[in-house]
Amino acid sequence: MKKILIVFALLINLLLLNSTFATEVDESIYFDAKSSSLGFTFVTLDSEGETYFFNPATLSLKKFSYFSLTFDNLTDNPNLKLSYFYPSTTIYSITADLILDKNTKEYSLKNIRGAIAFPLTSYIYLGTSAMYLEEENLIKGDIGLMVKIGDFLRTGIVGEGFTIEKISDQVYKITLALRYNIGLSFSLFNNSTNIYLDLIDVENFSNTKDWSLIRFGIEQKLGNILVIRIGSKGDITNLANYTFGLGINLNRFSLSISAFSENIENSDTSLENIKLKYKLTGTLRF
């Protein structure tokens, strides 16, 4: 346990040292292609890229060291998300955004973030993630817990949005998680069919019974190479909430693509007003 605490302290120091590169961005761009094609689920998902940040306990599902790269068209400037995963007794990951400024034609590293996860027992895993927000001068992260029940069922809970703010040289303010999310996933037919279900903001749901806070995703493997995915990021009666994707697995290399609509502020969600966005995530296993 001492080793884990030391590693986490070093991670926090790394984030602070790189504060000149960090800035706050919309959290919606932190999902990789696999997650965004499965309704932006994340609580129990073995994601391929940067989605691990939302529930770092899912890092315990990593079996190999690998590098991932995600590209999307969500922002005006080209943005690549680079992630590295190293599974051992304790699993580590680190991610950074490589952004091209269209005006200066210069690249910069921003939003450096990372996480660690470790087993509490042979089937219960704990993880924590962190990122430094320069504009707010604080560290923000999530704490996640995941339970594996056999090879077919996983459940988890995430405390999202805890903060550590430096008040003075020796005084720090710690704020607990802003909201809690829970999730459940099933693996059926020898792991060829996977179903994911997340409830976002448990307290809000208990007060409002707002069913749009529920996300789901279904993944179907067609042999050893092709995977098809579909999901919903909210109200299933709204076509704009549906997400789609494909995955291709080729030995040490995999590629996923997702398509989804951008968030629409007005009530007009007819097909002609839906603007499609996409993500591409590629991974290379070592």
Side-chain angles (χ1 to χ4, degrees):
M1 181 63 70
K2 288 183 178 179
K3 179 181 177 182
I4 293 171
L5 293 175
I6 292 172
V7 171
F8 184 62
L10 292 174
L11 174 61
I12 295 297
N13 287 330
L14 174 63
L15 294 170
L16 291 172
L17 289 173
N18 284 281
S19 62
T20 56
F21 298 111
T23 186
E24 184 179 13
V25 296
D26 183 1
E27 286 187 348
S28 65
I29 72 171
Y30 287 168
F31 291 88
D32 58 36
K34 181 178 179 179
S35 175
S36 58
S37 65
L38 292 167
F40 290 84
T41 54
F42 61 88
V43 177
T44 59
L45 180 69
D46 183 9
S47 63
E48 296 175 339
E50 60 276 9
T51 303
Y52 73 83
F53 186 88
F54 291 99
N55 185 4
T58 58
L59 288 176
S60 61
L61 301 172
K62 306 300 180 188
K63 304 301 181 185
F64 306 97
S65 298
Y66 71 91
F67 172 82
S68 78
L69 184 150
T70 296
F71 173 79
D72 59 48
N73 64 340
L74 299 183
T75 59
D76 294 333
N77 292 326
N79 187 331
L80 297 177
K81 296 173 183 61
L82 314 174
S83 301
Y84 175 71
F85 300 87
Y86 180 75
S88 183
T89 304
T90 301
I91 303 94
Y92 311 92
S93 64
I94 188 166
T95 300
D97 296 350
L98 183 62
I99 300 176
L100 172 64
D101 190 311
K102 287 186 176 180
N103 297 322
T104 63
K105 305 300 181 182
E106 294 181 351
Y107 287 94
S108 60
L109 283 175
K110 294 185 177 182
N111 308 318
I112 296 176
R113 52 204 182 273
I116 61 172
F118 50 90
L120 298 179
T121 70
S122 58
Y123 55 91
I124 301 177
Y125 302 86
L126 179 69
T128 184
S129 58
M131 178 175 68
Y132 184 75
L133 304 179
E134 182 183 19
E135 292 182 359
E136 301 181 26
N137 192 29
L138 55 80
I139 294 171
K140 182 179 180 181
D142 296 348
I143 297 178
L145 188 72
M146 190 180 69
V147 180
K148 294 199 297 185
I149 304 172
D151 296 327
F152 64 94
L153 179 64
R154 297 196 296 263
T155 185
I157 182 171
V158 180
E160 185 179 339
F162 79 84
T163 61
I164 303 175
E165 183 180 3
K166 185 176 181 180
I167 305 300
S168 64
D169 290 341
Q170 297 182 342
V171 178
Y172 291 84
K173 177 183 177 181
I174 299 177
T175 304
L176 298 180
L178 298 177
R179 67 181 187 184
Y180 292 89
N181 313 310
I182 57 176
L184 188 69
S185 61
F186 303 89
S187 294
L188 306 173
F189 311 117
N190 198 24
N191 200 35
S192 62
T193 302
N194 297 302
I195 302 172
Y196 304 91
L197 186 66
D198 286 1
L199 173 59
I200 308 302
D201 197 344
V202 175
E203 183 179 5
N204 187 13
F205 180 80
S206 65
N207 293 329
T208 65
K209 300 300 185 292
D210 183 0
W211 292 94
S212 66
L213 297 173
I214 295 179
R215 303 175 183 179
F216 80 86
I218 301 174
E219 178 181 59
Q220 179 63 51
K221 298 178 181 178
L222 303 177
N224 296 323
I225 297 179
L226 184 64
V227 183
I228 57 174
R229 302 176 177 121
I230 186 173
S232 173
K233 56 182 178 179
D235 182 4
I236 60 175
T237 64
N238 186 346
L239 290 177
N241 285 328
Y242 281 88
T243 63
F244 307 90
L246 292 173
I248 299 175
N249 299 308
L250 299 172
N251 197 5
R252 294 180 179 271
F253 174 75
S254 67
L255 178 67
S256 291
I257 182 172
S258 65
F260 52 93
S261 68
E262 66 179 359
N263 293 329
I264 300 175
E265 296 182 356
N266 56 50
S267 58
D268 187 359
T269 57
S270 56
L271 288 177
E272 59 269 19
N273 290 313
I274 294 177
K275 296 181 180 179
L276 285 180
K277 297 294 183 179
Y278 67 87
K279 285 178 179 282
L280 286 170
T281 298
T283 68
L284 180 63
R285 197 178 77 192
F286 301 132

